[in-house]
Amino acid sequence: MAYWLMKSEPDTFSLDDLRSRPDSTEHWDGVRNYQARNMMRDQMKRGDKVFFYHSSCPVPGIAGIAKVVREAYPDGSAQNPESRYYDPKASAENPRWFMVDVKFERKFKRLLPLSELKAEPALAEMTLLKKGNRLSIMPVSEDEWQQILSMV
DNA sequence: GCCAACGTTGGC
DNA sequence: GCCAACGTTGGC
């Protein structure tokens, strides 16, 4: 089993939104970056755990945990001209973009702010904290996962 | 709203 | 294949 971090803007889709979905499950559509897509498509497995990160908001940070319940399949929003994620180069034959389904697992007692992650020396090598990293999906090592859980 | 740090596009 | 221009992300 692997660990991941996935970013979402809470104004658009928050951890509470995920929890309130039917079966607390939602498909993670709209990923339009090849590196992030490749990790979803090739590496994310059912049962993997995910830190749900809130970005572009007053206090960015980790809100809680979700898990992967369905492995990658075509992201239909890429083929829908009405969608904000529409991509004219995607087709049924070549879907180009993929998504996984994630399910709510738990919400932390408090949001763990980015500022605290940055201040923790044990997390200095974490991808999230590396300068210039803007990936919306990134791997988390087991050590990092445990370290973060101990800080909540 | 600013801006650094990318990623993507497209002319050549 | 190079690279300038442009668009996006996301913290601050």
Side-chain angles (χ1 to χ4, degrees), chain A residues 103-142:
Chain A
K103 179 170 182 163
F104 174 86
E105 186 156 299
R106 79 178 170 100
K107 184 179 179 176
F108 290 161
K109 291 192 295 289
R110 64 181 190 113
L111 181 125
L112 191 55
L114 177 61
S115 58
E116 284 189 39
L117 302 176
K118 283 182 170 174
E120 173 50 59
L123 297 176
E125 296 305 310
M126 196 180 176
T127 308
L128 177 71
L129 307 178
K130 291 288 186 180
K131 188 176 177 184
N133 195 301
R134 300 171 312 163
L135 279 178
S136 63
I137 299 175
M138 59 187 78
V140 175
S141 75
E142 171 141 28

Side-chain angles (χ1 to χ4, degrees), chain A residues 20-38:
Chain A
S20 68
R21 289 293 195 270
D23 201 30
S24 302
T25 299
E26 187 57 282
H27 45 268
W28 202 271
D29 62 358
V31 171
R32 296 291 179 270
N33 169 283
Y34 289 108
Q35 253 185 288
R37 178 203 70 180
N38 292 347

Side-chain angles (χ1 to χ4, degrees), chain A residues 2 4 35 37-45 48 139:
Chain A
W4 305 93
Q35 253 185 288
R37 178 203 70 180
N38 292 347
M39 283 189 278
M40 260 200 314
R41 187 190 58 190
D42 305 333
Q43 294 175 250
M44 290 187 85
K45 298 299 177 192
D48 283 0

Side-chain angles (χ1 to χ4, degrees), chain A residues 21-108:
Chain A
R21 289 293 195 270
D23 201 30
S24 302
T25 299
E26 187 57 282
H27 45 268
W28 202 271
D29 62 358
V31 171
R32 296 291 179 270
N33 169 283
Y34 289 108
Q35 253 185 288
R37 178 203 70 180
N38 292 347
M39 283 189 278
M40 260 200 314
R41 187 190 58 190
D42 305 333
Q43 294 175 250
M44 290 187 85
K45 298 299 177 192
R46 190 180 159 84
D48 283 0
K49 304 272 193 182
V50 177
F51 281 140
F52 196 111
Y53 180 90
H54 285 174
S55 66
S56 297
C57 54
V59 183
I62 300 173
I65 297 175
K67 66 181 174 186
V68 178
V69 293
R70 181 176 173 185
E71 292 173 17
Y73 60 107
D75 179 348
S77 68
Q79 296 169 52
N80 174 11
E82 304 299 313
S83 170
R84 61 184 285 240
Y85 300 125
Y86 178 61
D87 178 353
K89 292 177 182 164
S91 65
E93 300 75 38
N94 181 14
R96 193 143 120 137
W97 303 110
F98 291 81
M99 60 189 181
V100 298
D101 286 357
V102 299
K103 179 170 182 163
F104 174 86
E105 186 156 299
R106 79 178 170 100
K107 184 179 179 176
F108 290 161

